[in-house]
Amino acid sequence: MFCDDFVWGVASSAYQIEGRDGEDGAGKCIWDTFTEAGRIYEKQNAYVSCDHMHRYKEDFALMRLLGIKAYRFSLSWSRILPEGTGKVNEKAITLYRDMIMEMKKNGIEPYITMYHWEFPQSLQDRGGWLNEEVIEWFAEYAKVVAENFSDLCDYFITLNEPQCFVGLGHLSGVHAPGEKLPPAKVFQIAHNALRAHGRAVQNLRKYAGRPIKVGYAPTCGMAYPETEKQEDIEAARKVLFSFYNPIENWTWNVAWFSDPVVLGKYPEEGLEKYKEYLPPITKEDMELISQPIDFLGQNIYNGYIVRAGKDGEPEFVGRKPGFPKTAAGWPVTPECLYWGTRFLYDRYQKPIYITENGMSCHDDVSPDGQVHDRNRIDFLDTYLSALQKASDDGADIRGFFLWTFLDNFEWDKGYNERFGIVYVDFETQKRIAKDSAYWYQKVAESNGKNLLINKGVRPMLFLEPVFKQMIWGGNKLRTEFGYEIPGDDTGECWAVSAHPNGECIVKEGVYAGEKLSVLWKEHPELFGNVDSDRFPLLIKIIDAKADLSIQVHPDDEYAKKNENGSLGKMECWYILDCDENAALVVGHNAKTEEELESMIREGKWQEFIREIPIKKGDFIQIDPGTVHAIKGGTMILETQQNSDITYRVYDYDRLSNGKPRELHVDKSIDVIMVPAKDPEESVSFTGDLPDDQMNLLKECEYYRVWKLRVTKPVKIEQEYPFLIMSVLAGDGLVNGQMVKKGDHFILPAGYGEVNLQGNMEIIASSV
């Protein structure tokens, strides 16, 4: 989990939520001009937006009710200084001071962002960020901020996302002020913005009147490695801090906007690559830009994949078809929050706050009056789990600010995107807390205890079977179950196995390619933290074209002593198919141990062996010490202890590779029970059990086995350490996933409600 003093907050910006009031005294900002020019989605504007300037008391009360303890918000430069410099709008000072005091009344720690793109239009008319006077304009604004709010607030952030307001505002022109300037002018703007940041840091500290914490909040997509191979990691690190973007997209860069602030110098690679565009850069400039800050904010939403190429150079990896995206079309890449923070902390060694992260969803109000945004919960769960892993691995991460609290005006996208954990009806201004708000409340209250990384990801685990060719095997595993078997003498399908003689791997999902034994050791939470040194069960389908050997299994005590610590073997059989008038060997006819040994050593097999009739749907329990054998023409599903210890008593004198198969006569005599159990105690018929419910067939020390025949929608609760399901006939849906005859999967611990429908027969098992 995260540390006890980890900061859980939400973030917003003034222009996106405040709205306007004809009597508020605010000046015009560049976004007012941009909207008036009709450059927003559907020509929308932010004159009302969330009307937060009139509803903040209600909004902060809502934050309190939802457990929000920290709020990163921006002050509007053009509201406080209508002309950008000079006369202060006292109405704005009063408004923001009252906002901050209201936050504190509700137990919310304020984090002020000085600039979240609300640039005064009056200063834009004088050249904006391209005019070097902006450095002192911003310094004056910082002085006003410090003088008026430092008594109420401890945390201040100078600039939000310079990559955006520099690049989107002045290079591509998709944001206000909507300019498309040549690269040299954009580099001048970036240099001016960084110098303005430095002067703001100076004035915040100078005029605060007491110690405060000052930070900076850039952004960028994060490079992350395709694999955890060291060469891929280093390739991703190199790309993140290098200059691979073309000049027309150069502002999407981490090092250019963070190295000067934290390390006191522009990166050499950038200085060389962009030398023809750069303004004069002096030693004094760098001293100003690198004024000491207390923390690094970073806005992280997504990333891109990098690997080491064959020539040693980094190589960009394309996304797979159907790669998950948010409603805004942004890729969902939780890895970026792990590797991004790791790389940033390794390079800059500053405490990190994630100052923005979240997603746009297609939210709407359901008929029940609620907003069910499961996508957002899943997004945040995976991203925050990645962030915790980065923290666990040594990155100094102090807090997380979710973007955003209220649905709002999303810049050039207008109201087309909903990022909030609170739904806003922009016509009525009604607020509705979404499901994600309640989920985030629990995250904050528990410091992340309820995150996937701490609970464990618990998907259905579909397994790849392992096949065994046997002297008595056939081809029904292909003809009846559709498996790709290695030959027409395939006798066994090890469907769920963590045994070293035949180990299953996970087919798909987050654990794809993992061995079942590895999951058992590394993710015990998936299996209810069962106290065992190995996965306890083994599930097989057996196709006997010919008779199997007469055999017996030892119990745990005997196997541990005589078979190098192996488990013994208790098993049970469910008859999938058999010939008419079929029989199995279960037990023997010896009355005493002396008679047993005599029959075996003298080969009196007809006297010794006891056969019992069987039919499809029978269930047979085979205890350790029970003589048994499957006869030709029979298919069974076998549930057993995770052991491959079998003692052959007799094998019909068959040859394998020209030689008789090994027998284990002495060990067999040691472990066979005398007298044998009455067969009526071992055999039961399951064909007349009720449909659409879990019917318990056997419960013993080692396993529980159920039969479930699905003919209509069925709901069960997975309340066991794990639940193995083998589909033996038909097909259907299990929690929306299609399954068919021959599928085997594990429902892990804590999986919860299981919804089944279709027409299928299932044998389930657990410990």
Side-chain angles (χ1 to χ4, degrees), residues 622-651:
I622 306 293
D623 293 333
T626 299
V627 174
H628 61 277
I630 303 169
K631 296 184 72 65
T634 305
M635 285 192 78
I636 71 165
L637 177 83
E638 180 174 279
T639 302
Q640 62 168 81
Q641 285 180 270
N642 184 6
S643 169
D644 203 27
I645 300 300
T646 297
Y647 299 151
R648 291 192 194 94
V649 184
Y650 174 56
D651 196 31

Side-chain angles (χ1 to χ4, degrees), residues 550 585 587-590 599-600 602-611 650 652:
I550 309 299
V585 174
H588 59 85
N589 294 314
M599 286 179 170
I600 291 174
E602 295 176 20
K604 298 177 181 178
W605 303 117
Q606 286 188 338
E607 297 176 39
F608 177 69
I609 294 168
R610 183 178 73 191
E611 293 189 1
Y650 174 56
Y652 306 100

Side-chain angles (χ1 to χ4, degrees), residues 55-84:
R55 299 171 183 267
Y56 61 86
K57 292 186 179 181
E58 169 194 341
D59 289 337
F60 296 147
L62 183 54
M63 283 189 190
R64 169 177 52 79
L65 292 170
L66 292 171
I68 303 300
K69 301 298 184 184
Y71 181 38
R72 178 192 168 225
F73 67 104
S74 72
L75 306 172
S76 173
W77 184 355
S78 60
R79 185 182 291 283
I80 290 174
L81 291 163
E83 299 300 318

Side-chain angles (χ1 to χ4, degrees), residues 617-728:
D618 277 349
F619 180 81
I620 298 106
Q621 170 67 18
I622 306 293
D623 293 333
T626 299
V627 174
H628 61 277
I630 303 169
K631 296 184 72 65
T634 305
M635 285 192 78
I636 71 165
L637 177 83
E638 180 174 279
T639 302
Q640 62 168 81
Q641 285 180 270
N642 184 6
S643 169
D644 203 27
I645 300 300
T646 297
Y647 299 151
R648 291 192 194 94
V649 184
Y650 174 56
D651 196 31
Y652 306 100
D653 300 322
R654 286 181 293 199
L655 300 179
S656 176
N657 296 322
K659 298 179 181 180
R661 291 206 295 172
E662 181 184 8
L663 300 180
H664 314 90
V665 173
D666 291 338
K667 289 181 177 179
S668 297
I669 292 171
D670 281 348
V671 302
I672 293 173
M673 290 188 301
V674 183
K677 187 191 296 186
D678 188 320
E680 291 186 2
E681 297 180 35
S682 301
V683 182
S684 59
F685 179 59
T686 71
D688 54 1
L689 294 174
D691 292 341
D692 305 311
Q693 68 177 47
M694 295 279 279
N695 297 287
L696 184 64
L697 304 181
K698 180 66 180 178
E699 182 171 15
C700 64
E701 179 182 356
Y702 300 104
Y703 48 71
R704 284 176 282 194
V705 180
W706 299 264
K707 181 178 180 181
L708 170 62
R709 171 72 182 167
V710 177
T711 65
K712 62 183 181 182
V714 177
K715 183 181 296 184
I716 64 172
E717 191 71 21
Q718 202 312 66
E719 55 191 5
Y720 305 99
F722 57 89
L723 189 64
I724 300 170
M725 287 194 157
S726 297
V727 184
L728 304 181

Side-chain angles (χ1 to χ4, degrees), residues 415-533:
Y415 301 101
N416 193 47
E417 308 291 349
R418 290 185 179 270
F419 278 85
I421 56 172
V422 173
Y423 183 91
V424 177
D425 182 323
F426 294 107
E427 290 185 348
T428 67
Q429 291 301 321
K430 182 179 177 64
R431 275 81 158 131
I432 302 172
K434 304 175 188 178
D435 289 353
S436 59
Y438 297 106
W439 176 85
Y440 189 56
Q441 180 178 14
K442 292 177 182 176
V443 173
E445 287 172 350
S446 66
N447 271 329
K449 184 178 180 180
N450 62 329
L451 293 173
L452 282 173
I453 191 173
N454 300 314
K455 296 191 306 181
V457 182
R458 288 172 163 80
M460 294 169 62
L461 301 172
F462 287 87
L463 300 171
E464 291 279 7
V466 176
F467 299 99
K468 302 281 186 177
Q469 291 173 278
M470 298 293 188
I471 191 172
W472 43 261
N475 64 5
K476 286 186 177 179
L477 289 169
R478 180 197 302 122
T479 60
E480 297 295 322
F481 281 88
Y483 295 133
E484 293 183 13
I485 59 175
D488 287 342
D489 58 350
T490 303
E492 294 184 346
C493 164
W494 290 29
V496 179
S497 169
H499 195 281
N501 289 350
E503 181 142 19
C504 294
I505 63 171
V506 180
K507 283 184 181 181
E508 60 193 32
V510 294
Y511 298 118
E514 290 279 12
K515 293 181 178 180
L516 184 54
S517 64
V518 172
L519 282 187
W520 178 261
K521 291 177 181 177
E522 296 185 358
H523 295 279
E525 73 281 355
L526 294 175
F527 309 100
N529 296 298
V530 170
D531 184 15
S532 174
D533 64 351

Side-chain angles (χ1 to χ4, degrees), residues 197-223:
H197 153 80
R199 281 290 289 124
V201 174
Q202 289 178 334
N203 273 5
L204 284 171
R205 297 198 192 281
K206 179 178 180 180
Y207 294 101
R210 67 186 186 95
I212 58 172
K213 302 288 187 183
V214 180
Y216 166 67
T219 190
C220 230
M222 296 287 119

